[in-house]
Amino acid sequence: MHVLRTLPLVALLAAVPLVPVLQPAWSQEKPAKPAAKPIARTAYRTADFRMELRSDTGTLARLSPHAEPAFDFVPGARAAERAADGYVHLGDLNLRLRTPGGAWQDFASSRKRAPIRRLAARPGTLAAADITASMGAGFPLKVQRRWATEGKAVALRFTLTNPGSTPIEIGGLGMPMVFDNIITDRELDTAHAQASFVDPYIGRDAGYLQVTRLNGKGPALLVIPERGTPLEAYRPIAEARHAEPGDIFTDRSPRGQTSEGFYDWTVASKGFADKEWKNAGEQWNTPTSITLAPGETRTIGVRLVQAPSIRGIENTLVQQARPVAVGIPGYVVPTDMDASLFLKTTQPVVRVESHPAGALTATPAAPVNGWARYAVRASGWGRARLTITYADNSVQTVSYFITKPLEQAVADLGRFSTTRQWYDDKSDPFRRGPAVMSYDREANRIVTQDARVWIAGLSDEGGAGAWVAAMMKQLDNPVPEEVAKLERMMNETVVGKLQVASGPQAGAVKKSLFYYEPGQHGDYYDPALNWKNWTAWTKKQSDDLGRSYNYPHVAAGHWVMYRLARNHTGLVKRHDWRWYLERAYQTTVAMMRDAPHYAQFGQMEGDIFVDILKDLKREGMAPEAAEMERLMKGRADHWKTLPYPFGSEMAWDSTGQPEVYAWMRYFGHQPQADETREVILAYDPTVPHWGYNGNARRYWDFLYGGKVPRIERQIHHYGSTLNAVPLFDAFRANPKDTHLLRVAYGGLMGGITNIDQEGFSSAAFHAYPDMMQWDAYTGDYGMGFFGHAYATATYLVNDPSFGWLAYGGNLKQQGGTLHVEPRDSARTRLFVAPAGLWLTLEAGKIDAADYDPASGRVTLTLSGKTRFTPAARLLAETTVAGARPYALDGAKLERGAYAIPLAAGSTRVTLTPR
């Protein structure tokens, strides 16, 4: 059993004091736990929940679904330690107010508790109270809070009244959303059974929160708005002991790698935009305020609704008469790709507007199965949103990201990384050249030193990310000049410097080429950096071979070179394909030999090992394949014995699951693969928002790879694309489960948003409203681009709700034939879902595909030959149990693939089911 623990790696620095930061997990300071005292509660039973309210404060102390009475969505088990003043709970209120011409003043019901005055309960009301006294001295409003039942839902409502003679502007109105996302002091199995994740759809009147159990099982919880309660912003509640001076909107629970913290459902945010957020990028929604005239009253509220499962969330929203939006293929839209937006709502649409104007056009199309359909086209580049106004004046926003055609975006990445990030300083004392290195976009220069030495040391995720992205870009889009540079790097810098070249530890990988040794290189180190943290590794520490997570990066580099040498002509020159495949194998064996501790966990990019093993088999390298399979089976057999085999060097992580899933599938452990799939869905949502759609939960890696090192929800960190890989595989095995495809495509495309207009790639987007921009460091982006390059494909689907769709391509129906033109970044993979047919090209490109549902025939139009690719290599497999196999008439199989000579123009080939 893996025990949750804070390892030495979770003890980072305060290296780059660019902005005030929340205290991260690496603080050595331990907050004193308050003395536990029993808390009196009043129990209630509603249609779907057993709930308890604290008798003294009236805040929520328990919310258990009847179907799982031992489970609690809120941290009720920590009630005693969170009982004192300064701990927020569901049922508290945060307000920022001002009178005309006055300054903003803050009031919080949790800061210093005062007795609440109970009110008479009307029918349907569970509890009612006047909580004005708890808001603090000088509070100019009156506040009543009611807990009520509405059908099967539990409603929380606040009624605000201005009893004075002066208008009062509410510039900050937040309801703390406190759910049990605390992993601290829990074993991994316990955390999966007891804890929850929260994901927002920050979509104004159509916004909601989904609260899902770590194990992925139902029921799930939805928090949906009542009228006049838009989810305008999702404001993090700072930890009290590290908050800015004067900030009273805080919570005393420790935040860190084992606890993301809590957030405010923020109805009005103009007061924050005027102050704390004034230097940030554009907010998800336009910040607003509310003015209460003398004697005026306004009620705001949310409902807590049970959904039977994660996949049942949208149906539950429909049942609750909430507007539901579904974007296909998602909310990241290249300018050459057709997209669709489907809406289901009880209210007619009055208008659909684009911000910025003209960035998005939404043209009404024929409705499908009760869904309104809009054809969406994009122009320009960057963030955009559609604002949908309904007949009842409610407003929904759908956040999009517009990017270049994907082939252009990827080409930009390859060019930027192999030019602007190319380092070949012969005088470098750390011998890091030639190499693609980490980059600082703010300074527009290579990061040659950082007190987190790995960032400048070509290893670990924060240092290897730059060159892994450059390398993976070549897999399907090789450019000879870029390949030549990367081949130099692999032969002159990786092998022999970063990786042990020979001897008993051949293939082992160091933690960093950069290190801190002032006695040797005293004049080199920038004195403005903090070199007194554990992150400033000595040479001995940097030379350590025991961190397994460094090995997949190097294995992937060798594997890409193998594929390029094997499947193309003249691209790779220094060694033949066998040399690189042997190095990939050697790296895998070395990981098991020299880094066994962390190798017990799934590795980010660990899918690469599956492909290395398959390629060893296809190449007839039987002894190597047998040894590698033996080593990997030992890991898989261990994982099979664990209920939740998802540990890592972190207490909880979202990067080991893809490799665990891959080996469970490879060795036929389907129940464990299914369990892994469902766990991924618990932290990887689909919502109408480019940032959170397919955004596998991540909130601590800015500490290790970002320029702004703080605990913060990261938008499309590398977990998004890595976790898309197993979801795509699961969908290909069961094409009826389109939820998998939607989540996976959200993650796949989310990883593209990190690439700017010139090709710089950022570690992730800072989601906190005081930043709202990409981190300036390349950081660990390459791990994410690995997932994108590895999985990018076009999917042809006949969706039971939305009809024929193409994810990643443009679709036309020509008579009875479906014509698809891929627009994904590779154009080398196509899945025809009705046939269960998975087509992959190891060489060559797909210009178009035609599918005849009646006969099952699939005709591919392949691009013309090039100097380096005179022939295509096509693999065809059916991935659905019972599906008919396909074959290509007149073509020969070579290493499991059809070799197809290419013409100068296009070449057409037809596959038929047998």
Side-chain angles (χ1 to χ4, degrees), residues 48-49 152-153 208-210 219-224 303-324 344 371:
D48 280 342
F49 301 105
K152 291 186 175 183
Y208 62 88
L209 305 180
Q210 62 179 56
L221 177 70
L222 298 180
V223 185
I224 60 177
R303 297 185 184 184
L304 308 177
V305 177
Q306 179 176 287
S309 64
I310 291 172
R311 290 174 181 80
I313 285 174
E314 287 173 349
N315 284 339
T316 302
L317 291 169
V318 170
Q319 293 164 8
Q320 293 291 319
R322 306 305 306 153
V324 177
K344 182 169 281 193
W371 292 80

Side-chain angles (χ1 to χ4, degrees), residues 609-686:
F609 297 129
V610 180
D611 271 87
I612 292 168
L613 175 55
K614 289 180 178 179
D615 283 332
L616 289 171
K617 288 187 171 183
R618 290 200 300 167
E619 298 290 3
M621 299 170 69
E624 293 88 347
E627 175 61 9
M628 184 172 176
E629 190 164 74
R630 182 187 68 82
L631 293 170
M632 297 300 108
K633 189 173 188 302
R635 299 169 76 210
D637 288 347
H638 169 64
W639 294 334
K640 185 185 176 184
T641 67
L642 304 174
Y644 300 101
F646 312 124
S648 83
E649 60 189 333
M650 301 300 186
W652 175 88
D653 212 335
S654 59
T655 58
Q657 287 85 342
E659 193 196 2
V660 170
Y661 173 90
W663 289 119
M664 294 298 101
R665 286 274 284 162
Y666 181 87
F667 288 112
H669 305 321
Q670 192 60 44
Q672 287 76 19
D674 293 345
E675 187 81 33
T676 306
R677 178 197 65 213
E678 296 305 297
V679 166
I680 291 171
L681 293 179
Y683 58 75
D684 202 346
T686 177

Side-chain angles (χ1 to χ4, degrees), residues 470-550:
M471 183 67 71
M472 291 305 300
K473 181 266 175 188
Q474 310 305 320
L475 179 64
D476 291 305
N477 296 283
V479 172
E481 295 79 9
E482 296 172 4
V483 172
K485 285 186 172 182
L486 292 168
E487 192 177 10
R488 279 192 64 200
M489 179 182 173
M490 292 303 296
N491 284 275
E492 297 175 33
T493 303
V494 173
V495 176
K497 295 179 184 177
L498 187 63
Q499 182 176 37
V500 178
S502 60
Q505 292 180 307
V509 181
K510 298 176 183 178
K511 288 166 64 176
S512 175
L513 287 183
F514 184 59
Y515 51 82
Y516 181 64
E517 289 285 1
Q520 297 180 27
H521 312 295
D523 294 339
Y524 189 91
Y525 303 106
D526 185 349
L529 298 176
N530 183 358
W531 298 101
K532 295 182 179 180
N533 286 287
W534 69 269
T535 60
W537 292 336
T538 65
K539 187 175 191 306
K540 181 180 179 181
Q541 291 170 318
S542 290
D543 284 346
D544 182 78
L545 306 175
R547 187 175 184 272
S548 62
Y549 298 99
N550 295 318

Side-chain angles (χ1 to χ4, degrees), residues 410-492:
V410 167
D412 291 343
L413 168 68
R415 182 170 53 254
F416 192 100
S417 60
T418 56
T419 55
R420 302 276 289 275
Q421 294 178 243
W422 182 249
Y423 182 79
D424 195 10
D425 184 352
K426 300 297 190 294
S427 66
D428 177 36
F430 306 97
R431 301 172 63 238
R432 290 170 290 183
V436 175
M437 285 188 63
S438 301
Y439 198 81
D440 181 344
R441 191 56 159 148
E442 282 184 336
N444 273 324
R445 62 171 179 255
I446 288 172
V447 181
T448 55
Q449 56 180 303
D450 191 288
R452 298 159 291 178
V453 299
W454 55 84
I455 289 178
L458 296 178
S459 200
D460 208 271
E461 288 65 72
W467 66 263
V468 169
M471 183 67 71
M472 291 305 300
K473 181 266 175 188
Q474 310 305 320
L475 179 64
D476 291 305
N477 296 283
V479 172
E481 295 79 9
E482 296 172 4
V483 172
K485 285 186 172 182
L486 292 168
E487 192 177 10
R488 279 192 64 200
M489 179 182 173
M490 292 303 296
N491 284 275
E492 297 175 33

